[in-house]
Amino acid sequence: MDVLKLATEWAKSEVFSTRFFIFFAVLFLIASTGFWQLAKTDLAKAYIIPTLIAGLLLMSIGLGLFYTNKSRITQFEKAYHTNATSFFSSEIERSESTLKEYTVVFKVVPSLIIVAALLILFINTPTWRAIGITSIALLTVILLVDGTAYSRIESYNKELKLIAIENETKK
């Protein structure tokens, strides 16, 4: 398979995936607005700020990744046509370093979920309960989207390595 086509398909998949961050951000922002307009109890009122912050965080993550990956598609083509060999090796290195970063994410995020759950368990005020529950929801969204992104980058890395092996056997 052509390396440029493989890289472009991966980047397009990432662009699609980042839309889920934006989708969930909108849901959190709608929830915040709903709590702001309709909240009657202290707990419901306590959700206004945490859901707003979660929505803004997801929106910034989603938009940042969306534009990064969107611009990466054109950068791939330029880099490939400039020096295909260099592009190929840089993609292998980039995908491997990204895989290592995800290893950290999959250790830190579950730990934060545990901390948030303990917060709910031991601090019985509406504000902290809302912060804990919203944090768990936010971190779950991050795990869901990053889980699929990890799977894609892992597959992409394996394909790149297979191409490298094929190129070595042709020599």
Side-chain angles (χ1 to χ4, degrees):
M1 178 177 235
D2 181 30
V3 176
L4 178 59
K5 182 180 177 189
L6 182 66
T8 304
E9 285 176 9
W10 171 82
K12 286 179 180 177
S13 296
E14 286 299 303
V15 168
F16 177 76
S17 177
T18 58
R19 291 178 183 157
F20 285 98
F21 279 126
I22 297 167
F23 171 74
F24 283 108
V26 169
L27 290 180
F28 273 100
L29 294 172
I30 290 170
S32 180
T33 304
F35 284 121
W36 176 52
Q37 293 294 316
L38 304 171
K40 303 274 190 257
T41 65
D42 289 339
L43 183 59
K45 290 176 185 174
Y47 276 102
I48 297 168
I49 301 297
T51 53
L52 175 66
I53 292 170
L56 293 174
L57 282 171
L58 284 175
M59 187 65 75
S60 63
I61 291 168
L63 291 174
L65 289 172
F66 179 82
Y67 289 112
T68 300
N69 287 317
K70 192 81 165 160
S71 66
R72 191 173 273 157
I73 294 170
T74 56
Q75 291 171 354
F76 280 168
E77 194 166 338
K78 289 176 188 173
Y80 181 79
H81 291 300
T82 303
N83 187 344
T85 307
S86 173
F87 170 74
F88 181 70
S89 26
S90 71
E91 277 304 288
I92 289 177
E93 289 174 27
R94 188 185 62 75
S95 63
E96 286 175 352
S97 73
T98 303
L99 285 169
K100 289 176 188 170
E101 291 170 11
Y102 276 118
T103 303
V104 173
V105 168
F106 291 127
K107 289 180 181 175
V108 171
V109 172
S111 300
L112 292 173
I113 291 173
I114 291 168
V115 169
L118 291 173
L119 217 104
I120 297 167
L121 202 59
F122 292 114
I123 302 177
N124 198 17
T125 62
T127 303
W128 284 105
R129 188 164 279 199
I131 290 170
I133 291 169
T134 304
S135 296
I136 291 171
L138 168 72
L139 294 167
T140 301
V141 168
I142 290 171
L143 276 178
L144 287 169
V145 177
D146 280 354
T148 59
Y150 176 81
S151 178
R152 270 192 309 280
I153 192 85
E154 185 178 43
S155 175
Y156 176 58
N157 180 266
K158 286 178 183 175
E159 288 286 329
L160 289 172
K161 287 181 179 179
L162 283 173
I163 292 170
I165 291 169
E166 287 174 8
N167 289 343
E168 285 297 317
T169 56
K170 287 179 183 177
K171 289 181 183 179

